[in-house]
Amino acid sequence: MKTRNLRIFVEVVRQGGFSQAAKVVFATQSTVSKAVKQLEDELRVPLLDRIGHRSSLTAAGEIVYRRALKMLADQEDLTAELEALRGLKRGRLRLGLPPVGSSILFAPLFAVYRERYPNIEIRLVEHGADRLAEILEAGEIDLAAALLPLAGAFESQEVRREPIVAVLSAHHSLARRKSVSFADLRRIPFILFESGFALNRIILDGCARRGFEPRIVARSSQIDFIIELAASGLGVAFLPALIAENRRHAGVRTALLAEPNMEWRIAMIWRREAYLPESTRAWLALTKECHQALPPILQSN
């Protein structure tokens, strides 16, 4: 059923005849008559009683007219809504962020995003980076922050690179060192994040390359609690330098983890070849804009 034919039929009813409708739709009277006839042939019912130069609705015509008004209104709404999406006047941002680093890297962006796009609904999911990748792959979110390198069919936009530091009690014998290796730490218990946190994978892979498996004495999803455990002397924890600098604690000291591939590389990721809504593209653009301007004090070379 052609929308144009419906629109012409509605105008014939509104104007009370073919010649008057032709003027409104900027068409010839024969074109208007043909459009109505095509609609009647397609529906297999007469829609109009033609009496001289006037036309009135049949019973079937009244039904089609009522439905046509709704269909044409829905089409207008659809067009307007899509244009609003393109103009970022409506829509939603389905975003996944990990607890580690998000308060520093991403929290300030929300205020800017909200100011620029006040009508975009933000749906935020928080998990460890590995779990977020699974949720993203399942299509439950459109965009996530995760650590690189990452297995899976994802595209990425890097946000920040940071060296990883060991976090030790201020009273530990290694606390005055500027850098430490896994060889220095292998006899010390490890304090790690809960499963699903990609930082764990980086640390444990590094230990495996050095030929040992660390003794893990505690796990937590809370950065402040992990730092407190390290301050108490329970073991050594690991954080990106940026996070450790932001969470300074009198009871701990940090030392650069001097090992190959010990870098915290956080990026925004999305499914390869997936459609990215305009709201998502706007977040990517904002992330790039803001983090290019960050001071590189703690970034690794």
Side-chain angles (χ1 to χ4, degrees), residues 128-138 141 144-146 150-151 154 269:
D130 285 349
R131 175 61 180 146
L132 285 177
E134 295 174 5
I135 294 173
L136 178 62
E137 199 163 24
I141 53 178
L150 187 68
F154 299 111
I269 65 169

PDB file of all heavy atoms in Angstrom, residues 128-138 141 144-146 150-151 154 269:
ATOM      1  N   GLY A 128      33.606  -5.899  36.125  1.00  0.00           N
ATOM      2  CA  GLY A 128      34.994  -5.991  35.709  1.00  0.00           C
ATOM      3  C   GLY A 128      35.079  -6.013  34.193  1.00  0.00           C
ATOM      4  O   GLY A 128      34.122  -6.370  33.502  1.00  0.00           O
ATOM      5  N   ALA A 129      36.235  -5.615  33.654  1.00  0.00           N
ATOM      6  CA  ALA A 129      36.373  -5.451  32.205  1.00  0.00           C
ATOM      7  C   ALA A 129      36.106  -6.744  31.436  1.00  0.00           C
ATOM      8  O   ALA A 129      35.498  -6.719  30.357  1.00  0.00           O
ATOM      9  CB  ALA A 129      37.770  -4.916  31.869  1.00  0.00           C
ATOM     10  N   ASP A 130      36.543  -7.880  31.955  1.00  0.00           N
ATOM     11  CA  ASP A 130      36.314  -9.145  31.257  1.00  0.00           C
ATOM     12  C   ASP A 130      34.827  -9.465  31.177  1.00  0.00           C
ATOM     13  O   ASP A 130      34.332  -9.929  30.143  1.00  0.00           O
ATOM     14  CB  ASP A 130      37.063 -10.285  31.958  1.00  0.00           C
ATOM     15  CG  ASP A 130      38.560 -10.238  31.694  1.00  0.00           C
ATOM     16  OD1 ASP A 130      38.985  -9.465  30.811  1.00  0.00           O
ATOM     17  OD2 ASP A 130      39.305 -10.972  32.366  1.00  0.00           O
ATOM     18  N   ARG A 131      34.101  -9.229  32.261  1.00  0.00           N
ATOM     19  CA  ARG A 131      32.656  -9.474  32.267  1.00  0.00           C
ATOM     20  C   ARG A 131      31.941  -8.508  31.326  1.00  0.00           C
ATOM     21  O   ARG A 131      30.998  -8.882  30.625  1.00  0.00           O
ATOM     22  CB  ARG A 131      32.128  -9.339  33.702  1.00  0.00           C
ATOM     23  CG  ARG A 131      30.606  -9.446  33.822  1.00  0.00           C
ATOM     24  CD  ARG A 131      30.089 -10.782  33.349  1.00  0.00           C
ATOM     25  NE  ARG A 131      28.635 -10.867  33.467  1.00  0.00           N
ATOM     26  CZ  ARG A 131      27.860 -11.526  32.648  1.00  0.00           C
ATOM     27  NH1 ARG A 131      28.386 -12.179  31.624  1.00  0.00           N
ATOM     28  NH2 ARG A 131      26.556 -11.562  32.830  1.00  0.00           N
ATOM     29  N   LEU A 132      32.405  -7.269  31.276  1.00  0.00           N
ATOM     30  CA  LEU A 132      31.802  -6.289  30.377  1.00  0.00           C
ATOM     31  C   LEU A 132      31.940  -6.716  28.923  1.00  0.00           C
ATOM     32  O   LEU A 132      31.031  -6.517  28.117  1.00  0.00           O
ATOM     33  CB  LEU A 132      32.451  -4.917  30.579  1.00  0.00           C
ATOM     34  CG  LEU A 132      32.044  -4.150  31.835  1.00  0.00           C
ATOM     35  CD1 LEU A 132      32.834  -2.853  31.935  1.00  0.00           C
ATOM     36  CD2 LEU A 132      30.551  -3.863  31.854  1.00  0.00           C
ATOM     37  N   ALA A 133      33.086  -7.303  28.586  1.00  0.00           N
ATOM     38  CA  ALA A 133      33.289  -7.777  27.208  1.00  0.00           C
ATOM     39  C   ALA A 133      32.265  -8.848  26.852  1.00  0.00           C
ATOM     40  O   ALA A 133      31.752  -8.877  25.724  1.00  0.00           O
ATOM     41  CB  ALA A 133      34.713  -8.311  27.050  1.00  0.00           C
ATOM     42  N   GLU A 134      31.940  -9.718  27.796  1.00  0.00           N
ATOM     43  CA  GLU A 134      30.933 -10.760  27.561  1.00  0.00           C
ATOM     44  C   GLU A 134      29.553 -10.133  27.340  1.00  0.00           C
ATOM     45  O   GLU A 134      28.809 -10.542  26.436  1.00  0.00           O
ATOM     46  CB  GLU A 134      30.881 -11.714  28.759  1.00  0.00           C
ATOM     47  CG  GLU A 134      32.156 -12.521  28.978  1.00  0.00           C
ATOM     48  CD  GLU A 134      32.092 -13.330  30.273  1.00  0.00           C
ATOM     49  OE1 GLU A 134      31.017 -13.318  30.925  1.00  0.00           O
ATOM     50  OE2 GLU A 134      33.102 -13.960  30.631  1.00  0.00           O
ATOM     51  N   ILE A 135      29.207  -9.154  28.159  1.00  0.00           N
ATOM     52  CA  ILE A 135      27.908  -8.493  28.041  1.00  0.00           C
ATOM     53  C   ILE A 135      27.815  -7.741  26.715  1.00  0.00           C
ATOM     54  O   ILE A 135      26.781  -7.745  26.047  1.00  0.00           O
ATOM     55  CB  ILE A 135      27.700  -7.528  29.224  1.00  0.00           C
ATOM     56  CG1 ILE A 135      27.605  -8.315  30.529  1.00  0.00           C
ATOM     57  CG2 ILE A 135      26.453  -6.682  29.032  1.00  0.00           C
ATOM     58  CD1 ILE A 135      27.577  -7.446  31.763  1.00  0.00           C
ATOM     59  N   LEU A 136      28.910  -7.111  26.332  1.00  0.00           N
ATOM     60  CA  LEU A 136      28.950  -6.380  25.061  1.00  0.00           C
ATOM     61  C   LEU A 136      28.764  -7.333  23.894  1.00  0.00           C
ATOM     62  O   LEU A 136      28.007  -7.051  22.956  1.00  0.00           O
ATOM     63  CB  LEU A 136      30.278  -5.635  24.943  1.00  0.00           C
ATOM     64  CG  LEU A 136      30.522  -4.844  23.662  1.00  0.00           C
ATOM     65  CD1 LEU A 136      29.488  -3.732  23.506  1.00  0.00           C
ATOM     66  CD2 LEU A 136      31.926  -4.254  23.660  1.00  0.00           C
ATOM     67  N   GLU A 137      29.446  -8.464  23.949  1.00  0.00           N
ATOM     68  CA  GLU A 137      29.354  -9.446  22.861  1.00  0.00           C
ATOM     69  C   GLU A 137      27.928  -9.975  22.730  1.00  0.00           C
ATOM     70  O   GLU A 137      27.475 -10.299  21.626  1.00  0.00           O
ATOM     71  CB  GLU A 137      30.332 -10.591  23.115  1.00  0.00           C
ATOM     72  CG  GLU A 137      30.643 -11.407  21.887  1.00  0.00           C
ATOM     73  CD  GLU A 137      31.894 -12.260  22.067  1.00  0.00           C
ATOM     74  OE1 GLU A 137      32.251 -12.578  23.211  1.00  0.00           O
ATOM     75  OE2 GLU A 137      32.513 -12.595  21.055  1.00  0.00           O
ATOM     76  N   ALA A 138      27.201 -10.037  23.847  1.00  0.00           N
ATOM     77  CA  ALA A 138      25.822 -10.517  23.832  1.00  0.00           C
ATOM     78  C   ALA A 138      24.838  -9.449  23.361  1.00  0.00           C
ATOM     79  O   ALA A 138      23.648  -9.721  23.207  1.00  0.00           O
ATOM     80  CB  ALA A 138      25.423 -11.002  25.220  1.00  0.00           C
ATOM     81  N   ILE A 141      24.800  -4.196  25.779  1.00  0.00           N
ATOM     82  CA  ILE A 141      25.253  -2.808  25.803  1.00  0.00           C
ATOM     83  C   ILE A 141      25.892  -2.503  24.456  1.00  0.00           C
ATOM     84  O   ILE A 141      26.206  -3.416  23.684  1.00  0.00           O
ATOM     85  CB  ILE A 141      26.266  -2.532  26.947  1.00  0.00           C
ATOM     86  CG1 ILE A 141      27.433  -3.536  26.900  1.00  0.00           C
ATOM     87  CG2 ILE A 141      25.584  -2.572  28.305  1.00  0.00           C
ATOM     88  CD1 ILE A 141      28.498  -3.300  27.958  1.00  0.00           C
ATOM     89  N   ALA A 144      31.728  -0.379  25.846  1.00  0.00           N
ATOM     90  CA  ALA A 144      32.273  -0.707  27.159  1.00  0.00           C
ATOM     91  C   ALA A 144      33.719  -0.246  27.250  1.00  0.00           C
ATOM     92  O   ALA A 144      34.402  -0.097  26.233  1.00  0.00           O
ATOM     93  CB  ALA A 144      32.189  -2.215  27.427  1.00  0.00           C
ATOM     94  N   ALA A 145      34.164  -0.038  28.458  1.00  0.00           N
ATOM     95  CA  ALA A 145      35.581   0.231  28.706  1.00  0.00           C
ATOM     96  C   ALA A 145      36.236  -1.085  29.084  1.00  0.00           C
ATOM     97  O   ALA A 145      35.714  -1.832  29.913  1.00  0.00           O
ATOM     98  CB  ALA A 145      35.750   1.258  29.815  1.00  0.00           C
ATOM     99  N   ALA A 146      37.364  -1.396  28.474  1.00  0.00           N
ATOM    100  CA  ALA A 146      38.046  -2.668  28.724  1.00  0.00           C
ATOM    101  C   ALA A 146      39.539  -2.482  28.529  1.00  0.00           C
ATOM    102  O   ALA A 146      39.992  -1.480  27.956  1.00  0.00           O
ATOM    103  CB  ALA A 146      37.517  -3.755  27.793  1.00  0.00           C
ATOM    104  N   LEU A 150      42.649  -7.463  23.868  1.00  0.00           N
ATOM    105  CA  LEU A 150      41.416  -8.138  24.239  1.00  0.00           C
ATOM    106  C   LEU A 150      41.033  -9.134  23.155  1.00  0.00           C
ATOM    107  O   LEU A 150      41.051  -8.798  21.971  1.00  0.00           O
ATOM    108  CB  LEU A 150      40.301  -7.105  24.410  1.00  0.00           C
ATOM    109  CG  LEU A 150      38.966  -7.583  24.953  1.00  0.00           C
ATOM    110  CD1 LEU A 150      39.110  -7.998  26.414  1.00  0.00           C
ATOM    111  CD2 LEU A 150      37.928  -6.493  24.821  1.00  0.00           C
ATOM    112  N   ALA A 151      40.710 -10.351  23.574  1.00  0.00           N
ATOM    113  CA  ALA A 151      40.261 -11.353  22.601  1.00  0.00           C
ATOM    114  C   ALA A 151      38.814 -11.077  22.232  1.00  0.00           C
ATOM    115  O   ALA A 151      38.040 -10.565  23.031  1.00  0.00           O
ATOM    116  CB  ALA A 151      40.396 -12.747  23.206  1.00  0.00           C
ATOM    117  N   PHE A 154      36.136  -7.244  18.452  1.00  0.00           N
ATOM    118  CA  PHE A 154      35.848  -5.896  18.913  1.00  0.00           C
ATOM    119  C   PHE A 154      36.691  -4.862  18.169  1.00  0.00           C
ATOM    120  O   PHE A 154      37.824  -5.133  17.783  1.00  0.00           O
ATOM    121  CB  PHE A 154      36.141  -5.758  20.414  1.00  0.00           C
ATOM    122  CG  PHE A 154      35.313  -6.670  21.284  1.00  0.00           C
ATOM    123  CD1 PHE A 154      35.905  -7.730  21.949  1.00  0.00           C
ATOM    124  CD2 PHE A 154      33.955  -6.458  21.435  1.00  0.00           C
ATOM    125  CE1 PHE A 154      35.157  -8.572  22.744  1.00  0.00           C
ATOM    126  CE2 PHE A 154      33.196  -7.300  22.236  1.00  0.00           C
ATOM    127  CZ  PHE A 154      33.792  -8.350  22.898  1.00  0.00           C
ATOM    128  N   ILE A 269      35.457  -0.032  23.772  1.00  0.00           N
ATOM    129  CA  ILE A 269      35.347  -1.087  22.766  1.00  0.00           C
ATOM    130  C   ILE A 269      33.888  -1.271  22.344  1.00  0.00           C
ATOM    131  O   ILE A 269      32.976  -0.951  23.099  1.00  0.00           O
ATOM    132  CB  ILE A 269      35.919  -2.427  23.281  1.00  0.00           C
ATOM    133  CG1 ILE A 269      35.094  -2.962  24.457  1.00  0.00           C
ATOM    134  CG2 ILE A 269      37.386  -2.280  23.677  1.00  0.00           C
ATOM    135  CD1 ILE A 269      35.428  -4.394  24.845  1.00  0.00           C
TER     136      ILE A 269
END
